[in-house]
Amino acid sequence: MLRRRALAACTATVAVGALALAGLTGTASADPAPASSAPVAGAEQLSPGLLKAMQRDLGLTADRARARIGAESRAAAVAGGLRHSLGAGFAGARVSGDSAELTVATTDAADTARIAEAGARAVVVGHSLAELTSAKAALDRVALHRAPKDIPVWYVDVRTNRVVVEAGRGAAADTFLAAAGVSRELVTVGQAAGAPRTFTDLRGGDAYYMNGTGRCSIGFPVKRGTQGGFVSAGHCGTPGVSTSGYNQQAQGSFQGSTFPGRDYSWVAANTGWTPRPLVNGYGNGDVTVTGSTEALEGSSVCRSGSTTGWHCGTVQQRNSSVTYQEGTVSGVTRTNVCAEPGDSGGSFISGSQAQGVTSGGTGNCSQGGTTYFQPVNPALQAYGLTLVTSGTPTDPTDPTDPPTNPGGSWAAGTVYAAGDVVTYGSVSYRCLQGHQAQPGWTPVNVPALWQAL
């Protein structure tokens, strides 16, 4: 078994990018100059991907996107200078439109001339940014000790010159404000649109943790109906054991587990985790999963795991049996791919085809070794799961079913073993290679998987 039994402390490093603006070194002057129409340095070298996304989502041409970014950067430079020169009266700044028209708020009407001279529109308001920020900080301190119930979001809104608290119930907002000692005069209470959640991907080969007592690796993201999750090794956990993700955030719990005898399990994930048809290539690029057709003995196969990353070798023997300390596991596949503790449950993939989840073995990735994987199709079949794939068939023929379903017993999502016989239309077909049927992989379309009888 290759489950990591001891947790290692880890530190997540977040890289933060900063936009350096020409002329913003040192302290801002008391009288900032009006915004220049000169282009921002580096605007022509903007990422093509960023420009494409702006064209798609903001309806801009590439030239207009570059101009907008330049205008926003110049506005930020002016706002930075005004924030310094206005001091305690500064109440926030914002831009609007493609031209990034700058509006600067102040609590002192005497500042409006200075703001106008800098090329911005002045607005006089009742509360300084410092006052609003202080009120929000008081709310943050309360939430740090105990997350407020029915209060999913709060923030400083410089446009309305208020702290906005979104609440599921008005009474909950009153309790929150009272606990923080924040005046209702500073706050607008709004109706919460819903409970926010994190957006994190489930990806083969990534780490997950079990009840804080060990680490394994995700095999392949799956679904059962609308419920998302993943398959992994059975020895990693038993039903009811909770899991947290690579980022130590709550993830889900084991719904089914078999070990020994076989070595597979499935974990249902909460709505903060989205199953993706990907395997972590650990520096080699993510690999897209398109199906689960079994590779022949001698085929190349690669493994992804959270301890040793990405390693490859060949399939040696299928339908092997191996005895661990806990008992015998049958039906596993023997490979010459190395693995180490913590890699358990991780993905074995051949090309774009899911093969199985890491079970155990001998040796290590310094000297080499033998590793066994539990084939994925029996796990899918055992728990009624559907492998999450890109939906792209590997066969070059038309990937779509005929407009009219011809009928028969073949069905997408079903796991078929070599030798299984199905009907499609009026013809019977025998399965040539074990796989989970994907949309478009009909017997008539994929002769590599089906033989007409």
Side-chain angles (χ1 to χ4, degrees):
M1 295 192 311
L2 297 173
R3 163 180 167 175
R4 172 67 71 186
R5 297 188 180 279
L7 291 176
C10 62
T11 302
T13 303
V14 179
V16 180
L19 176 62
L21 298 173
L24 281 188
T25 57
T27 304
S29 66
D31 297 298
S36 167
S37 60
V40 173
E44 294 301 317
Q45 286 75 47
L46 293 171
S47 162
L50 181 146
L51 293 175
K52 184 177 180 180
M54 291 181 70
Q55 292 175 69
R56 179 195 65 202
D57 297 335
L58 298 176
L60 303 173
T61 64
D63 287 342
R64 285 178 61 199
R66 292 189 184 93
R68 177 166 177 161
I69 290 174
E72 289 169 347
S73 298
R74 289 188 292 273
V78 173
L82 285 170
R83 179 170 189 161
H84 179 76
S85 63
L86 299 181
F90 181 75
R94 65 183 189 275
V95 296
S96 59
D98 291 350
S99 61
E101 178 186 0
L102 176 63
T103 298
V104 175
T106 179
T107 58
D108 188 349
D111 289 333
T112 57
R114 179 181 298 180
I115 294 171
E117 288 172 3
R121 185 172 73 92
V123 175
V124 180
V125 295
H127 308 292
S128 69
L129 183 61
E131 184 181 10
L132 297 176
T133 301
S134 178
K136 180 184 175 293
L139 296 172
D140 291 344
R141 286 191 292 271
V142 170
L144 183 63
H145 297 288
R146 184 174 183 179
K149 188 176 180 180
D150 290 332
I151 308 288
V153 178
W154 58 98
Y155 51 87
V156 173
D157 184 7
V158 297
R159 185 181 299 275
T160 62
N161 193 231
R162 307 276 283 183
V163 175
V164 175
V165 175
E166 295 186 4
R169 296 178 298 109
D174 292 336
T175 300
F176 190 32
L177 296 177
V182 172
S183 170
R184 188 65 182 257
E185 179 188 347
L186 298 173
V187 177
T188 296
V189 176
Q191 179 65 42
R197 59 184 175 87
T198 56
F199 297 101
T200 313
D201 287 345
L202 293 175
R203 177 179 58 173
D206 283 352
Y208 70 93
Y209 299 86
M210 302 80 69
N211 276 355
T213 61
R215 169 171 55 84
C216 277
S217 302
I218 292 174
F220 294 95
V222 297
K223 285 191 174 183
R224 187 157 81 172
T226 59
Q227 173 65 60
F230 59 88
V231 290
S232 189
H235 69 262
C236 288
T238 56
V241 170
S242 63
T243 67
S244 55
Y246 66 88
N247 55 6
Q248 301 288 351
Q249 297 300 304
Q251 182 188 68
S253 63
F254 283 83
Q255 303 298 300
S257 178
T258 301
F259 180 80
R262 295 290 188 266
D263 194 5
Y264 47 60
S265 62
W266 93 277
V267 173
N270 62 44
T271 56
W273 295 81
T274 303
R276 301 294 187 194
L278 301 173
V279 171
N280 189 342
Y282 285 97
N284 300 286
D286 288 347
V287 178
T288 300
V289 179
T290 65
S292 60
T293 303
E294 295 175 353
L296 298 176
E297 279 85 346
S299 298
S300 61
V301 68
C302 295
R303 179 195 55 73
S304 179
S306 59
T307 297
T308 59
W310 185 256
H311 288 274
C312 300
T314 58
V315 173
Q316 295 184 316
Q317 289 87 28
R318 289 194 169 277
N319 195 24
S320 302
S321 294
V322 58
T323 297
Y324 301 121
Q325 183 178 356
E326 296 83 356
T328 298
V329 174
S330 299
V332 292
T333 299
R334 185 173 181 267
T335 75
N336 61 1
V337 184
C338 71
E340 295 181 10
D343 289 328
S344 270
S347 324
F348 265 87
I349 189 166
S350 182
S352 65
Q353 300 298 305
Q355 297 300 306
V357 299
T358 302
S359 176
T362 58
N364 55 49
C365 287
S366 297
Q367 300 174 337
T370 297
T371 302
Y372 300 89
F373 69 78
Q374 164 68 57
V376 69
N377 286 327
L380 300 175
Q381 191 170 39
Y383 300 122
L385 306 172
T386 300
L387 186 69
V388 175
T389 70
S390 67
T392 304
T394 55
D395 190 86
T397 55
D398 183 2
T400 59
D401 286 327
T404 301
N405 190 331
S409 62
W410 179 90
T414 302
V415 176
Y416 293 108
D420 286 351
V421 175
V422 300
T423 57
Y424 188 75
S426 58
V427 181
S428 295
Y429 294 86
R430 179 181 290 112
C431 179
L432 300 177
Q433 301 179 65
H435 67 285
Q436 184 172 48
Q438 304 296 319
W441 290 19
T442 61
V444 70
N445 277 346
V446 194
L449 299 180
W450 297 97
Q451 180 184 48
L453 300 179

